[in-house]
């Protein structure tokens, strides 16, 4: 865990892949980002999460008032997040953003999986292909921007597009899981206006893949 930025109101952190954002069920799942941060900053509170397999930037509040203020920014879609991912197959490189607008539904019979389903919550993801990845098998490097924030949204949407994220043990077939040592999804960019100071804050953390 790297502390990228801190002041009296909030923290920006770089979560490594494989670390839980919050405690899970069982004694073996208590080590997590929130616990590590709270050992240093007792007033630190969660505002949003990343999947355990996803690395990258996360934002935490210091105190309940700032937690409410940052949560309001998320609800108003005023927190800008850009992820990078490597997916199976070749998509056309294009600087223009495209939109996936497919509802995501919790698959209660196959938890924790989710799927595209008309009964689900409206879910939108902006995406564009920025390059073709090096390697013997075809793959594309994408930038992804979640408009909504559903659980597993980016992973489900890329599967629905027919281009699962490499290393995705939940939504990719075994041959695509084997092509990467981990889930190739990373929260690279985070930007927002500081609720107290009014300053624009922007952070970037390299993906490492």
């Amino acid at each position: 865990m790297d502390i990228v930025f801190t002041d009296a109101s909030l923290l920006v952190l770089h979560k490594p892949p494989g670390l839980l954002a919050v405690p899970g069920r069982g004694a073996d799942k208590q080590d997590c980002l929130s616990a590590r941060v709270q050992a240093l900053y007792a007033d630190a509170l969660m505002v949003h999460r990343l999947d355990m397999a996803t690395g990258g930037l996360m934002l935490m509040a210091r105190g309940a008032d700032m937690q409410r203020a940052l949560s309001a920014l998320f609800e108003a879609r005023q927190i800008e997040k850009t992820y990078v991912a490597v997916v199976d197959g070749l998509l056309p490189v294009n600087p223009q953003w495209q939109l996936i607008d497919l509802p995501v539904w919790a698959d209660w019979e196959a938890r924790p999986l989710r799927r595209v389903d008309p009964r689900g919550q409206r879910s939108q993801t902006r995406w564009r292909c920025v390059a073709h990845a090096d390697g013997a098998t075809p793959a594309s490097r994408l930038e992804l921007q979640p408009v909504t924030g559903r659980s597993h949204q980016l992973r489900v949407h890329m599967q629905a597009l027919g281009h699962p994220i490499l290393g995705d043990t939940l939504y990719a077939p075994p041959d695509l899981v084997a092509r990467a040592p981990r889930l190739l999804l990373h929260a690279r960019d985070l930007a927002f206006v500081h609720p107290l100071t009014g300053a624009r804050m922007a952070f970037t953390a390299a993906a490492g893949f």
Side-chain angles (χ1 to χ4, degrees), residues 87 92 150 171 177 208:
V87 303
R150 314 304 180 198
Y171 298 102
V177 174

Side-chain angles (χ1 to χ4, degrees), residues 138-158:
S140 300
R141 180 174 288 270
L142 306 186
E143 292 181 342
L144 305 169
Q145 292 183 338
V147 179
T148 54
R150 314 304 180 198
S151 181
H152 294 184
Q153 176 181 309
L154 302 181
R155 300 164 73 174
V156 172
H157 274 173
M158 295 321 301

Side-chain angles (χ1 to χ4, degrees), residues 105-115 151-152 156 170-171:
W105 173 260
D107 193 341
W108 297 108
E109 296 181 357
R111 288 179 290 182
L113 295 181
R114 293 173 177 261
R115 67 169 188 255
S151 181
H152 294 184
V156 172
L170 292 180
Y171 298 102

Side-chain angles (χ1 to χ4, degrees), residues 7-26:
D7 65 10
S9 303
L10 55 85
L11 301 109
V12 177
L13 308 140
H14 187 178
K15 185 186 85 68
L19 178 67
L20 288 166
V22 296
R25 293 182 179 178

Side-chain angles (χ1 to χ4, degrees), residues 15-18 50-56 83 155 182-183 185-187:
K15 185 186 85 68
L50 290 177
D51 293 342
M52 179 178 179
T54 305
Y83 293 69
R155 300 164 73 174
R182 50 157 289 204
L183 174 69
L185 177 65
H186 176 82

Side-chain angles (χ1 to χ4, degrees), residues 79-95:
I79 305 281
E80 302 168 27
K81 295 183 292 181
T82 300
Y83 293 69
V84 291
V86 178
V87 303
D88 177 53
L90 296 180
L91 288 158
V93 176
N94 188 342

Side-chain angles (χ1 to χ4, degrees), residues 19-99:
L19 178 67
L20 288 166
V22 296
R25 293 182 179 178
D28 60 332
K29 294 183 175 62
Q30 298 309 297
D31 182 29
C32 60
L33 181 81
S34 62
R36 293 185 186 186
V37 174
Q38 287 163 357
L40 300 173
Y41 301 91
D43 59 352
L45 297 170
M46 295 297 293
V47 181
H48 68 120
R49 302 180 186 184
L50 290 177
D51 293 342
M52 179 178 179
T54 305
L57 294 175
M58 285 186 61
L59 182 61
M60 289 185 74
R62 297 190 62 183
D65 289 344
M66 182 54 61
Q67 184 186 42
R68 285 189 288 270
L70 291 175
S71 295
L73 291 183
F74 273 101
E75 292 174 7
R77 301 178 183 176
Q78 293 177 358
I79 305 281
E80 302 168 27
K81 295 183 292 181
T82 300
Y83 293 69
V84 291
V86 178
V87 303
D88 177 53
L90 296 180
L91 288 158
V93 176
N94 188 342
Q96 301 299 315
W97 290 97
Q98 301 184 62
L99 181 68

